[in-house]
Amino acid sequence: MIRRRVDIVGGGLAGLLAAIELARQNVEVAVWEAAGEFGGRARTRNVDGFLFNRGPHALYCQGALKRELDRLGIRYSGGRSLTGPRKAMAGGKLHDLPTAFGSIMKTSLLGIREKFDYALVVKSVMDGAVGVGSFADWLDAGRLTPMVRATVEAVARLSSYVNAPDTVSANALLDQIRLASGGTMYLDGGWITLVNGLVETARDMGVTLRERAAVKEVGYADERLEIAFGDGERRFTDAVILAVGPREAAMLVPEILALQDEAREACAARANTLDLGLSRMPQGASDFALGIDTPYYLSVHSGSAKLAPQGGALVHIARYLKIDEEPSANAVEELEAVADLVMPGWRELEVTRQKLRGMVVSNALPRFDRPRADVKVPGAAGLFVAGDWVGSEGMIADAAAASAIKAAQEAARWLFR
Ligand SMILES: Cc1cc2nc3c(=O)[nH]c(=O)nc-3n(C[C@H](O)[C@H](O)[C@H](O)COP(=O)(O)OP(=O)(O)OC[C@H]3O[C@@H](n4cnc5c(N)ncnc54)[C@H](O)[C@@H]3O)c2cc1C
C-alpha cells in the first residue's frame, strides 16, 4: 500500500505532537522548522548553568499537554510549583496571598467582610460556576468590592496569562482557574526537555525533521497540495498541518479567506518578562508574589525544579500585558521594582538575566463573542491548523497540544477517507 504523506509547517510543541500522532498511524510525516532548532516558544537557553525558558513556564497537571505527553510516553521530571506561602502585592506592600481558608482569614489584603465574600467567590468557582459573556460580565454580576474583584482578576491572570477581562470568555476563564487549581509543575532542565523528548520520539518513529527549513508558501497545483520553500524547492503532498501562528498561517496561504479572518481577529495574550539568575536567594526574600492592583508576577522556579547551578536561584518576573498594550520604555525597570519589593538585596546577587518584551504567550485567547479557529480550515481541502489559537479545549500550551492531536486525527481521517 502506498503510504500517504503529511507535511507539518512549524516544529514547536504543536507541530512535534501532531507529527508523532500521525506517525503512530503509519503516515509518512515531515516537519519543517524555520529556526535553527526545534521547540519554538518552548525552547530553553542555558546561560552559565541557569536554564531560562522563554519566560515563566508551568505545566498544568490537569491540562491537555501533560495528558498527551503522558499518553505518548514522553519523559520529564520536576516539582509541584507554589507549595509554600505566597505573597500578594498591593499598594506597594506585601500581604499574604489568600489561597486557602487559613490565608484568607489571615491576610491583611482584605477586610473582614471581604474575606467572607472572597471565600464565597472561590467556593462558587470551585463548585463549577458558569458565566454568560465575558469574564468582566461575570465579575459585574457578583457586585464585588474593588479589592475582592481585583484579587479574583489577579488569580485569573495567574491561571491564564490573560489580562483582558472584557474580551475573554467567562466560561473559558472559569474552567482555566479550576484547571490551574489542580496544580502546576516547573520542569527540571526547562521545557526544552519536552522538546528533546518529542524530537527523539518522532525521529525513532521515522519522522523527517528539518531545521532551517522555512516554508514560503502552501497552495494547490493540479488539485494537489503543494508546499514551496524559501530556497525555491517545491513538493507535492497529501495534507498539510500549519502549526504556526495565525498571521504566519494567513501569509503562507493567502488565498484562503478563513485564515485571513483568523489572523485579523486573533487577540494575543502577551507579557514582558525579566528572568534572573542569582548566585543565591537573598535572605528573607519571598519566593512567590502576585500583583493585585498591578499586573505582575514573580516566582522562583528553581525552588521546585533543577534550573540553576548548585546554590543558585532562577527567578521569573512578568507583567501581563493588555491586548494591544505596547511594552513601555521602562518595562525592565518596572520588573526590577517588583524584585526590589519581593526580594530586597537581589541586585548584588545577580549573575545573569534574560529580558523579553511583548512576548506572545498565546496567539489567541478564547473570546466570549467568537469561537477559536477549527483545526479543519474551511474551504481548503487537506489543510489543517494547530497551535495555541486553535480549537475549543484549554489555553496556552494545553490548547497547542489539544489542537495538535485533533489536527493529526482529522488529517488521518482525510487521508484514509
Ligand atoms: C512568556 C511565556 C510564558 C508562557 N508560559 C506558559 C505556561 O506557564 N504554561 C503553558 O502551558 N504555556 C505557556 N506559554 C505558552 C507556550 O510556550 C506556547 O503555547 C507553546 O509553546 C506554543 O507552541 P506552538 O507549537 O503552538 O507554537 P510555537 O512554539 O510558536 O511554534 C511555532 C513554530 O513554527 C515555526 N515557524 C513559523 N513560521 C514558519 C515557517 N514559515 N516555516 C517553518 N517553520 C515556521 C517557528 O519558528 C516556531 O518554532 C508561555 C509562553 C510565553 C512566551
Side-chain angles (χ1 to χ4, degrees):
M1 192 172 102
I2 301 170
R3 279 178 86 205
R4 311 301 302 274
R5 177 187 173 90
V6 177
D7 284 81
I8 298 177
V9 186
L13 293 176
L16 294 170
L17 280 162
I20 295 170
E21 182 67 16
L22 278 163
R24 282 158 59 98
Q25 303 189 41
N26 196 29
V27 173
E28 189 186 335
V29 191
V31 184
W32 309 104
E33 167 54 51
E37 51 180 323
F38 285 94
R41 283 169 284 152
R43 280 177 296 174
T44 306
R45 281 171 65 223
N46 183 337
V47 185
D48 301 331
F50 291 97
L51 299 166
F52 288 110
N53 288 323
R54 309 289 290 157
H57 271 72
L59 181 67
Y60 291 84
C61 296
Q62 294 175 0
L65 177 58
K66 184 170 187 307
R67 180 187 72 214
E68 298 305 336
L69 292 167
D70 293 348
R71 184 175 65 88
L72 298 172
I74 309 298
R75 304 248 298 264
Y76 54 86
S77 62
R80 289 281 277 226
S81 31
L82 318 179
T83 47
R86 294 177 252 169
K87 295 290 175 196
M89 297 177 272
K93 292 201 177 100
L94 292 180
H95 308 260
D96 288 326
L97 182 68
T99 50
F101 184 74
S103 54
I104 294 177
M105 289 304 135
K106 212 170 120 219
T107 185
S108 51
L109 184 69
L110 304 169
I112 298 281
R113 182 66 210 265
E114 288 176 321
K115 290 174 197 263
F116 286 100
D117 287 351
Y118 183 70
L120 283 178
V121 179
V122 173
K123 183 173 182 317
S124 84
V125 174
M126 290 311 141
D127 286 349
V130 291
V132 178
S134 70
F135 189 56
D137 292 336
W138 184 82
L139 290 166
D140 288 346
R143 298 177 191 281
L144 308 170
T145 67
M147 192 46 98
V148 173
R149 183 180 177 124
T151 308
V152 178
E153 286 184 347
V155 169
R157 284 195 294 270
L158 172 67
S159 307
S160 66
Y161 277 86
V162 170
N163 184 4
D166 293 321
T167 308
V168 67
S169 144
N171 278 337
L173 201 43
L174 290 165
D175 280 345
Q176 184 68 12
I177 295 172
R178 285 186 281 269
L179 182 95
S181 75
T184 59
M185 279 178 80
Y186 298 152
L187 299 185
D188 294 337
W191 276 40
I192 195 70
T193 57
L194 302 182
V195 175
N196 291 342
L198 290 167
V199 165
E200 206 176 295
T201 303
R203 194 163 280 141
D204 288 349
M205 296 179 88
V207 172
T208 301
L209 294 157
R210 292 281 179 279
E211 296 125 332
R212 293 191 185 81
V215 172
K216 205 174 124 214
E217 211 180 330
V218 176
Y220 295 87
D222 301 329
E223 294 188 11
R224 289 193 67 192
L225 270 163
E226 188 187 46
I227 62 175
F229 296 88
D231 63 4
E233 192 198 326
R234 308 181 85 84
R235 62 190 306 152
F236 283 113
T237 186
D238 298 311
V240 172
I241 297 177
L242 303 175
V244 298
R247 282 170 201 85
E248 290 92 359
M251 277 186 328
L252 284 167
V253 206
E255 73 273 21
I256 301 296
L257 292 179
L259 289 177
Q260 307 304 319
D261 282 352
E262 295 302 336
R264 205 174 33 251
E265 294 286 341
C267 295
R270 291 173 309 123
N272 297 332
T273 78
L274 173 64
D275 308 319
L276 297 170
L278 305 181
S279 56
R280 62 172 172 80
M281 278 299 280
Q283 284 210 326
S286 301
D287 59 13
F288 180 89
L290 182 67
I292 304 297
D293 52 0
T294 47
Y296 293 113
Y297 158 100
L298 180 149
S299 180
V300 182
H301 283 222
S302 58
S304 43
K306 292 181 192 129
L307 291 162
Q310 188 68 29
L314 187 132
V315 186
H316 285 287
I317 312 166
R319 178 186 174 99
Y320 305 101
L321 295 171
K322 294 189 185 132
I323 294 169
D324 296 332
E325 178 182 352
E326 286 307 319
S328 70
N330 60 345
V332 174
E333 289 77 10
E334 287 173 356
L335 297 168
E336 287 176 341
V338 172
D340 288 338
L341 177 67
V342 183
M343 22 179 238
W346 68 273
R347 288 176 189 262
E348 292 73 51
L349 303 172
E350 179 178 340
V351 180
T352 180
R353 62 168 56 191
Q354 169 178 272
K355 297 172 282 187
L356 303 170
R357 286 187 175 82
M359 278 295 289
V360 172
V361 176
S362 164
N363 273 296
L365 53 87
R367 284 168 49 172
F368 76 91
D369 56 348
R370 191 176 202 274
R372 281 193 308 221
D374 188 51
V375 295
K376 286 197 264 185
V377 179
L383 188 62
F384 303 86
V385 286
D388 53 16
W389 53 286
V390 180
S392 55
E393 185 183 348
M395 293 171 77
I396 37 181
D398 290 329
S403 60
I405 300 303
K406 189 147 181 250
Q409 289 168 348
E410 290 294 342
R413 200 164 294 142
W414 156 260
L415 296 181
F416 303 118
R417 68 194 180 281

